[in-house]
Amino acid sequence: MQELTRHIGIQLKTLRTQRGWSLTQAAEETGVSKAMLGQIERGESSPTVATLWKIASGFQASFSQFLQSPPITADMLHPYDPPTAFDSKSCGMSVVSFFPYDSELNMDMLVVELQVAGYSESSAHAAGVIEHVIVIAGQLALTVNGSDHLLAAGEGLRFRADCPHTYRNHSSEKVRFHDIIHYPAADAAS
């Protein structure tokens, strides 16, 4: 986990430096406090999934670039590897980059797990971001812009993610799902 925390901090500082943004400007663009961004950059704090999404959206970057380095080739099979998971202990969610951001397709693919009673509240992503959520195991309660959906294993939902959305596990077993994220062509430069 410490290696991932360090990687997230390096990625954040690299993106901020590339754009010539101060911590103040980065805070304005992401909606994450200047103090928190500084702690993340220094590896003193590991962001929640929701905070990391705010950062990625504010920088118009892919979510997976904060989770995995170096990127793998687009045609290489990437086995599910839980030790590389990003774990947000406060909400019982873990995210693994299955296929990292692909610049030809403007997408990345994540495997997400929610523990019993786990949840994640996601603020609106950048305009034009679309998510495909496909449940692999368990039952997922998904709220998109105020509309509730209950998805069982083998079911999926495609939605515009530029609105608030929440993932919840109300069941008595862990929920696992794929999240395929498509970014607008101008966004998510890795």
Side-chain angles (χ1 to χ4, degrees), residues 79-150:
Y80 179 69
D81 189 9
T84 64
F86 175 83
D87 184 17
S88 176
K89 291 179 175 67
S90 63
C91 65
M93 177 182 254
S94 62
V95 180
V96 175
S97 176
F98 196 78
F99 286 109
Y101 180 73
D102 182 318
S103 60
E104 289 181 38
L105 301 174
N106 293 324
M107 63 159 281
D108 55 21
M109 181 177 180
L110 309 172
V111 177
V112 183
E113 289 186 356
L114 279 174
Q115 300 301 318
V116 174
Y119 70 93
S120 179
E121 296 177 355
S122 185
S123 56
H125 302 322
V129 173
I130 296 173
E131 291 191 36
H132 293 78
V133 171
I134 304 104
V135 178
I136 303 166
Q139 192 172 57
L140 176 67
L142 177 58
T143 303
V144 179
N145 207 20
S147 296
D148 295 326
H149 307 273
L150 193 58

Side-chain angles (χ1 to χ4, degrees), residues 22-113:
S22 65
L23 277 173
T24 301
Q25 186 174 1
E28 290 170 3
E29 295 291 332
T30 63
V32 176
S33 75
K34 178 179 165 180
M36 176 57 76
L37 290 172
Q39 290 172 358
I40 293 168
E41 279 191 7
R42 293 187 301 274
E44 297 169 358
S45 180
S46 182
T48 64
V49 172
T51 299
L52 192 57
W53 260 116
K54 284 182 177 183
I55 293 169
S57 293
F59 278 93
Q60 296 185 342
S62 71
F63 185 82
S64 68
Q65 90 177 71
F66 288 97
L67 299 181
Q68 186 172 1
S69 181
I72 61 172
T73 61
D75 56 355
M76 181 178 161
L77 177 61
H78 186 277
Y80 179 69
D81 189 9
T84 64
F86 175 83
D87 184 17
S88 176
K89 291 179 175 67
S90 63
C91 65
M93 177 182 254
S94 62
V95 180
V96 175
S97 176
F98 196 78
F99 286 109
Y101 180 73
D102 182 318
S103 60
E104 289 181 38
L105 301 174
N106 293 324
M107 63 159 281
D108 55 21
M109 181 177 180
L110 309 172
V111 177
V112 183
E113 289 186 356

